Amino acid sequence: QVQLVESGGGLVQAGGSLRLSCAASGSIYRINNMGWYRQAPGKQRALVATITRDGSTNYADSVKGRFTISRDNAKNTVYLQMNNLKPDDTAVYYCNAERRNAFDTILPYWGQGTQVTVSS
């Protein structure tokens, strides 16, 4: 099992910045991709950004140029730096980790979520 604990959410004005952190613990070996997803009220959970163990990144078009995902493998932690925040970024942000088990099956793990609210 993998436990993911997020921190760093909160209330910020439009144009402001926040930094989310997600620390992984437990069976952290064989974790490859980590990332952030978000779910706004009435909408489905959607990808924000992902990062592989070797640092390759992928972003949703809506956050490119504003958000930066990074990872510290030694600390088993993934970060999301969010700049120039917009009201449309308001959502619960979830950390995700993918771990390959002994049968080579990829299993997803999720954090509990952290609220980000951007006021206009």
Side-chain angles (χ1 to χ4, degrees):
Q1 294 293 325
V2 174
Q3 292 79 45
L4 301 173
V5 177
E6 300 123 334
S7 61
L11 173 63
V12 65
Q13 287 187 333
S17 298
L18 283 173
R19 188 191 194 209
L20 305 183
S21 299
C22 172
S25 62
S27 298
I28 58 175
Y29 57 97
R30 304 192 81 183
I31 288 178
N32 187 14
N33 294 352
M34 297 187 75
W36 292 92
Y37 291 70
R38 66 187 181 185
Q39 187 167 16
K43 295 186 178 180
Q44 291 188 332
R45 191 173 298 187
L47 178 146
V48 176
T50 61
I51 185 168
T52 64
R53 176 167 284 276
D54 63 4
S56 297
T57 59
N58 180 51
Y59 294 93
D61 287 343
S62 60
V63 306
K64 284 181 180 176
R66 301 188 298 122
F67 291 11
T68 302
I69 190 170
S70 60
R71 181 172 176 171
D72 186 334
N73 289 328
K75 295 182 178 180
N76 304 306
T77 300
V78 63
Y79 305 94
L80 185 68
Q81 177 66 43
M82 305 184 292
N83 297 328
N84 191 21
L85 281 160
K86 304 175 180 180
D88 283 350
D89 296 317
T90 295
V92 177
Y93 284 69
Y94 295 92
C95 178
N96 169 268
E98 293 181 347
R99 177 179 174 273
R100 194 176 295 273
N101 68 6
F103 301 99
D104 221 28
T105 300
I106 296 176
L107 300 177
Y109 294 89
W110 295 94
Q112 80 284 358
T114 185
Q115 177 70 45
V116 172
T117 302
V118 184
S119 63
S120 57

